[in-house]
Amino acid sequence: MTEIKRRALMDKEAPNRSTAIVNGRSSNILNWDDVRFSWAYPKYKKMLGNFWTPFEINMGTDVKQFLDLTDEEKNTFKKIIGLLALLDSIQTDYAGKVADYLTDSSLNALMIILAQQEVIHNHSYSYILSSLVSKDEQDRIFDFWRTEPVLEKRNDFVLKGYKNFAENPTIDNMLDSIVYDVILEGLFFYSGFSFFYHLARNQKMVATSTMINYINRDEQLHVDLFVKIYKELLTEYPEYDTPERAERVQNIFREAAALEIEWANEVIGTKIDGLDVEDVEDYIYFYANVRCNQLGYDRPFEGYRKNPLKWIKAYEDVDLGKTDFFEQKSRQYVKVNVQDNGFDDL
Ligand code: ZN
Ligand code: ZN
């Protein structure tokens, strides 16, 4: 069991360019032109390029449309926002915890930006709800996680992985916690995303979906950052790159997919006209395969090689200059340089 030590605040004897991703030597001085990992600076540029805030988005039309949603749609809308608020809150803190153990000032910097983006995600949920519902109702939605049993199960699942690392920071536990991270940022948001894109596809709640789309775009970069850290850990500690680990990760993904499907049945089920929960289930299997494979392992589910909700692709790619579904004013504020948006190398 290799224990991981926290990064020192400063080390006069160590180089600015770190000697290892964890347990390495680093002065802790950040010079972007003298960093260990060649991918860190391009990632920094991409993350800054994604910058957005909810203030840019006008909720006026959504406020009117929300009243016309069916009760089921309203309910699902609120439950999903409640879930996302919880996930992003935890994520803000987890990013900081991991950052403390990376002996590389540039990766620490990327984690700080990641955490800042999670804060903006949480801001968007407050912003959406304060536009649509009363303060009491907003407070109730932000407390869903305390009382919803399906949510509790999923939260316990991710938290277990994070807590093991926080309480016992070893290489193994850091690797495992990153798997849970990739599930949180790359799978557990996705049935929620599908619901909002479904509404947008029907010209409903487009401002909310625009924010969801920005969040989706951020999360893709976050998943990729954690995947890079995971792979670097295995490069530096190849003794952990074992068939047992591969099997463990696949099993974690199987469990995660089952929990996400349970959640999808709870919030989507047969309640949402035009959105078939079986398609959402296939979408979850597909993404579980994608994420597990991104980490370098065989896909845990036979088949499921293609996105069954093809129309979602258009929403995921909305800022790549390929499509223009969101006819909002905010579209003009897109700050991503189309030539350098980085999605091609995800
Ligand atoms: Zn987030
Ligand atoms: Zn994230």
Side-chain angles (χ1 to χ4, degrees):
M1 279 290 178
T2 308
E3 206 190 311
I4 309 178
K5 293 200 179 63
R6 277 172 192 270
R7 185 181 62 259
L9 196 55
M10 186 174 272
D11 181 350
K12 272 190 174 173
E13 314 304 320
N16 292 348
R17 181 195 294 248
S18 67
T19 61
I21 193 162
V22 292
N23 287 343
R25 296 180 60 238
S26 158
S27 68
N28 214 15
I29 302 303
L30 173 59
N31 173 5
W32 279 113
D33 293 320
D34 185 23
V35 297
R36 178 177 175 79
F37 304 106
S38 60
W39 47 264
Y41 185 65
K43 176 63 85 182
Y44 171 69
K45 272 171 53 185
K46 281 173 207 160
M47 291 178 89
L48 288 190
N50 269 13
F51 185 77
W52 65 282
T53 77
F55 299 120
E56 300 163 12
I57 293 156
N58 185 337
M59 289 289 291
T61 309
D62 282 30
V63 170
K64 286 185 217 122
Q65 286 185 332
F66 189 69
L67 301 171
D68 294 332
L69 295 184
T70 66
D71 286 348
E72 299 283 23
E73 283 171 337
K74 278 194 197 111
N75 232 334
T76 295
F77 187 106
K78 292 176 191 172
K79 277 194 176 174
I80 292 174
I81 294 283
L83 160 81
L84 297 178
L86 168 93
L87 294 180
D88 272 317
S89 299
I90 298 171
Q91 193 56 24
T92 309
D93 200 29
Y94 170 70
K97 288 203 179 355
V98 173
D100 283 347
Y101 292 92
L102 300 169
T103 41
D104 185 294
S105 51
S106 66
L107 299 192
N108 178 49
L110 294 180
M111 281 298 160
I112 288 171
I113 296 173
L114 185 148
Q116 185 249 15
Q117 292 181 332
E118 306 301 3
V119 170
I120 291 176
H121 300 172
N122 259 89
H123 174 196
S124 71
Y125 308 134
S126 300
Y127 184 82
I128 290 167
L129 291 180
S130 65
S131 310
L132 301 177
V133 300
S134 69
K135 175 66 168 49
D136 278 356
E137 182 72 346
Q138 177 176 350
D139 290 346
R140 206 176 65 79
I141 293 166
F142 268 81
D143 274 340
F144 270 158
W145 62 275
R146 296 180 200 273
T147 51
E148 288 283 318
V150 180
L151 269 187
E152 206 177 353
K153 257 165 85 180
R154 287 187 9 154
N155 303 342
D156 289 350
F157 170 80
V158 170
L159 275 179
K160 183 181 63 195
Y162 282 7
K163 248 178 90 183
N164 281 344
F165 167 68
E167 288 170 4
N168 186 13
T170 61
I171 301 285
D172 239 354
N173 285 348
M174 187 184 246
L175 285 167
D176 282 353
S177 78
I178 293 174
V179 174
Y180 286 96
D181 175 278
V182 166
I183 286 166
L184 188 155
E185 302 193 271
L187 184 67
F188 278 2
F189 280 92
Y190 276 66
S191 35
F193 288 161
S194 73
F195 170 71
F196 288 109
Y197 294 147
H198 165 74
L199 290 182
R201 185 166 66 141
N202 293 293
Q203 309 303 318
K204 291 182 195 167
M205 310 305 287
V206 172
T208 300
S209 288
T210 299
M211 278 181 263
I212 292 294
N213 173 250
Y214 291 161
I215 292 168
N216 194 163
R217 191 181 65 175
D218 289 344
E219 298 306 350
Q220 301 217 51
L221 289 184
H222 298 177
V223 167
D224 181 62
L225 173 58
F226 272 104
V227 165
K228 284 186 161 68
I229 292 172
Y230 187 90
K231 289 187 168 167
E232 188 55 38
L233 277 167
L234 288 183
T235 303
E236 294 186 13
Y237 291 88
E239 64 272 29
Y240 289 90
D241 198 1
T242 60
E244 291 74 31
R245 163 154 291 282
E247 205 186 314
R248 179 152 92 242
V249 172
Q250 288 168 326
N251 283 333
I252 294 173
F253 272 96
R254 286 193 188 98
E255 204 186 329
L259 287 167
E260 183 64 11
I261 282 170
E262 197 182 352
W263 168 250
N265 277 286
E266 166 98 6
V267 289
I268 296 166
T270 53
K271 304 171 206 174
I272 307 302
D273 200 27
L275 184 59
D276 187 345
V277 76
E278 277 150 28
D279 288 342
V280 177
E281 288 179 7
D282 290 352
Y283 182 63
I284 292 164
Y285 287 129
F286 165 73
Y287 259 108
N289 275 347
V290 168
R291 298 313 183 199
C292 193
N293 192 248
Q294 266 180 288
L295 285 166
Y297 304 114
D298 288 341
R299 294 167 178 83
F301 299 104
E302 274 290 309
Y304 303 105
R305 291 294 189 106
K306 288 203 173 100
N307 180 354
L309 297 176
K310 287 227 162 27
W311 49 272
I312 286 187
K313 195 82 192 111
Y315 292 87
E316 289 180 343
D317 288 345
V318 76
D319 283 318
L320 302 183
K322 292 175 189 165
T323 56
D324 194 10
F325 276 87
F326 298 114
E327 306 262 299
Q328 299 246 123
K329 251 201 147 161
S330 62
R331 295 282 298 118
Q332 290 151 24
Y333 291 115
V334 171
K335 294 171 183 69
V336 172
N337 175 342
V338 178
Q339 258 66 56
D340 188 27
N341 53 41
F343 278 78
D344 292 341
D345 60 11
L346 277 186

